[in-house]
Amino acid sequence: MKQYNITKIQKKLRKELDDDRYRHTLGVMYTSAALAMRYGADLMKAQIAGLLHDCAKCIPNDKKLKLCDKYGIPVTKVENDAPFLLHSKLGAYLAKTKYGVEDEEILEAIVWHTTGKPAMTLLEEIVFLADYIEPMRWKAENLAQIREAAFVDIHRAVYMTLHDTLRYLSRGSGKVDEMTKEACQYYETLCQQNGEIFGTEHLKHIS
Ligand code: FE
Ligand code: FE
């Protein structure tokens, strides 16, 4: 198991991010660690993924597009119209090439932190959720409920986050990533199934 030098990564990252983004980043790192403790995920991986998830965020949008072109990272139509989305893929690429992270699990958690996707790994769910609930966040509706759910039922908290994100996006630019819709449907079904399983258990108990 590779050990990472968190202090060294932090120092390097500090130069790439503005003050607010850096504070958000530390919030995501600690929140990912807390969720990893709760659900038994790898603490080091959760911290590194949280720390680096937005490492490409402060690169200007036109430069993001140029860098993707340069590094051969494919850009979808949606990403081309909303280049900020590229900070995930580009971030994973930079995490690997500039910060020496080769662990695919960590890199995938960085790739999917913005849109989410169906059937995420535990680490992906943790970073996706930590990004939404870290202590610096304050704008989103239902934050208190999602924060509470995050430490009770991670799938339900992921579903709530996806659901609220879609609702928020549909009110604004109208640009909604298909992957987020698919993810939301997947987690909705998963939560319903879990609810049913719980319900049946409950009935067995009574009879
Ligand atoms: Fe991000
Ligand atoms: Fe973030």
Side-chain angles (χ1 to χ4, degrees), residues 24-66:
H24 161 71
T25 281
L26 293 183
V28 176
M29 179 182 84
Y30 291 126
T31 306
S32 296
L35 289 167
M37 288 176 197
R38 163 66 181 85
Y39 294 103
D42 187 299
L43 266 180
M44 183 55 84
K45 288 189 191 194
Q47 288 179 96
I48 297 298
L51 187 58
L52 288 171
H53 83 286
D54 270 347
C55 70
K57 184 84 176 193
C58 292
I59 298 170
N61 279 340
D62 56 338
K63 200 175 168 196
K64 280 193 192 86
L65 285 164
K66 273 186 208 149

Side-chain angles (χ1 to χ4, degrees), residues 16-17 28-29 34 73-74 83 117 134 142 146 161 163 174 200:
E16 304 297 326
L17 303 174
V28 176
M29 179 182 84
I73 300 168
K117 69 165 176 172
E134 63 93 3
N142 306 318
I146 297 177
T161 302
H163 179 270
T200 332

Side-chain angles (χ1 to χ4, degrees), residues 118 155-156 159 162 181-197:
H155 290 152
R156 184 155 295 276
Y159 166 63
L162 289 162
K181 282 190 204 164
E182 286 172 31
C184 191
Q185 276 159 12
Y186 173 88
Y187 280 94
E188 184 176 20
T189 310
L190 188 67
C191 289
Q192 281 166 353
Q193 282 168 352
N194 289 346
E196 273 167 32
I197 290 160

Side-chain angles (χ1 to χ4, degrees), residues 21 24 53-55 57 84-85 87-88 110 113-114 131 137:
R21 187 58 47 185
H24 161 71
H53 83 286
D54 270 347
C55 70
K57 184 84 176 193
F84 76 90
L85 288 170
H87 78 275
S88 319
I110 298 175
H113 87 265
T114 310
D131 189 29
R137 294 272 196 208

Side-chain angles (χ1 to χ4, degrees), residues 117-148:
K117 69 165 176 172
M120 286 186 271
T121 64
L122 177 59
L123 193 67
E124 287 162 356
E125 289 171 344
I126 284 174
V127 177
F128 176 78
L129 197 51
D131 189 29
Y132 200 79
I133 66 167
E134 63 93 3
M136 290 282 293
R137 294 272 196 208
W138 59 277
K139 276 187 198 158
E141 287 173 68
N142 306 318
L143 256 183
Q145 290 91 324
I146 297 177
R147 281 177 171 143
E148 191 180 343

